[in-house]
């Protein structure tokens, strides 16, 4: 299916475990983003990428690692999950980095760290 | 740094009435883009409307319009003739491409959101 998909949709993990959230887009968009959504904070940017092998930190990158070896994939890894990382995570992509380019979002991954 | 502020955590409106959702922004870049997204209870993010910093006219898309006041750094969303299906969370967002980000590209920054409830 065309579009941007995230997996898994729901995940429960234990404190200290490593967990990877997957994001795949079929449009060959250059730009990809990871956000976390928390009540009272809106969407906060974790990491973003302008192209394969080019990534940059957002507002809240601590505790997260990203990679982008292929244009279509942008996995987000929590190296050692903490309860404060319980959140809904959204991946997004956009064709260009120009100002008027909208971003398209995945369905979100609800992560619970116990 | 860029910042988006949405000061209304929740808003209520009667069906068929108009409602304005506030958004103010802060950036030192002269070029920027402003977006509004809708997030229904199902969770997906839906793009509504876009306004560029150099656009002379306010953007409109159907029942949505953007009241852009550049000097006041505000980009309020106006929804006319509200419908029950408009009940959702609404996010204002801003995109800039600062010179130092020419290789890493632009980032898209969101506000905290406003929960709109449309009453019958």
């Amino acid at each position: 299916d065309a579009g941007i998909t995230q997996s898994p949709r729901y995940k429960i993990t234990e404190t200290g475990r490593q967990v990877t959230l997957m994001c795949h887009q079929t449009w060959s968009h250059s730009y990809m983003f990871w956000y976390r959504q928390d009540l009272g904070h809106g969407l906060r940017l974790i990491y973003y990428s302008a192209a394969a092998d080019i990534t940059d930190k957002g507002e809240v990158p601590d505790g997260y690692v990203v990679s982008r070896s292929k244009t279509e994939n942008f996995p987000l890894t929590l190296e050692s999950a903490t309860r404060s990382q319980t959140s809904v995570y959204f991946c997004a992509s956009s064709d260009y980095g120009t100002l008027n380019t909208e971003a398209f979002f995945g369905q979100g991954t609800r992560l619970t760290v116990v | 740094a860029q910042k988006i502020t949405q000061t209304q955590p929740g808003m209520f409106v009667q069906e068929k009435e108009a409602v304005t959702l506030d958004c103010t922004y802060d950036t030192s870049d002269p070029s920027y883009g402003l977006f509004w997204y809708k997030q229904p209870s199902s969770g997906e993010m839906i793009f509504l409307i876009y306004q560029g910093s150099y656009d002379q006219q306010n953007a409109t898309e159907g029942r949505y319009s953007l009241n852009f006041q550049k000097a006041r750094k505000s980009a309020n969303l106006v929804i006319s003739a509200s419908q029950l299906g408009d009940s959702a969370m609404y996010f204002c967002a801003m995109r800039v491409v600062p010179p130092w980000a020419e290789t890493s590209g632009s980032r898209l920054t969101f506000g905290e959101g406003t929960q709109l409830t449309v009453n019958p």
Side-chain angles (χ1 to χ4, degrees):
Chain A
D1 289 339
I4 181 167
T5 55
Q6 295 181 232
S7 60
R9 293 291 311 278
Y10 304 91
K11 176 75 176 178
I12 300 174
T13 191
E14 294 179 341
T15 301
R17 288 194 180 267
Q18 182 181 82
V19 60
T20 296
L21 309 184
M22 304 301 293
C23 179
H24 175 77
Q25 51 105 352
T26 60
W27 295 304
S28 299
H29 283 173
S30 296
Y31 287 82
M32 297 188 76
F33 307 84
W34 272 108
Y35 293 89
R36 59 177 291 174
Q37 183 177 11
D38 305 289
L39 196 63
H41 293 280
L43 277 79
R44 290 182 291 176
L45 183 64
I46 304 171
Y47 271 96
Y48 64 109
S49 169
D53 298 322
I54 299 176
T55 62
D56 206 351
K57 296 178 180 179
E59 303 170 67
V60 289
D62 293 343
Y64 303 95
V65 174
V66 293
S67 62
R68 196 163 175 212
S69 57
K70 293 184 178 181
T71 299
E72 60 266 30
N73 297 323
F74 191 38
L76 176 74
T77 298
L78 287 67
E79 295 184 294
S80 178
T82 64
R83 289 199 178 91
S84 65
Q85 292 177 310
T86 292
S87 187
V88 179
Y89 291 85
F90 283 96
C91 179
S93 72
S94 68
D95 200 4
Y96 304 107
T98 53
L99 297 177
N100 63 344
T101 308
E102 69 182 271
F104 296 87
F105 283 79
Q107 323 94 299
T109 295
R110 185 175 293 275
L111 176 68
T112 302
V113 183
V114 297
Chain B
Q2 297 78 41
K3 186 174 174 60
I4 294 281
T5 302
Q6 295 180 254
T7 57
Q8 306 156 313
M11 287 284 286
F12 295 86
V13 65
Q14 289 297 121
E15 194 177 8
K16 299 181 185 177
E17 291 185 350
V19 63
T20 298
L21 306 184
D22 294 342
C23 172
T24 58
Y25 60 91
D26 187 26
T27 180
S28 56
D29 294 281
S31 299
Y32 49 89
L34 296 158
F35 300 79
W36 278 92
Y37 282 83
K38 172 184 178 181
Q39 186 182 43
S41 58
S42 52
E44 73 267 31
M45 296 287 287
I46 302 167
F47 165 72
L48 295 178
I49 196 167
Y50 166 82
Q51 178 84 42
S53 59
Y54 292 118
D55 292 344
Q56 295 297 312
Q57 293 188 325
N58 287 342
T60 60
E61 288 287 348
R63 294 186 298 111
Y64 304 108
S65 60
L66 204 152
N67 184 0
F68 181 48
Q69 298 187 41
K70 196 170 182 176
R72 301 177 67 178
K73 293 191 173 180
S74 73
N76 299 338
L77 177 70
V78 181
I79 305 174
S80 63
S82 297
Q83 301 172 357
L84 296 178
D86 294 333
S87 292
M89 181 73 85
Y90 289 81
F91 290 100
C92 181
M94 177 169 62
R95 191 161 198 170
V96 298
V97 185
W100 48 263
E102 284 177 355
T103 55
S104 63
S106 65
R107 57 174 62 189
L108 186 60
T109 303
F110 283 80
E112 296 167 0
T114 295
Q115 180 69 47
L116 176 67
T117 302
V118 181
N119 294 317

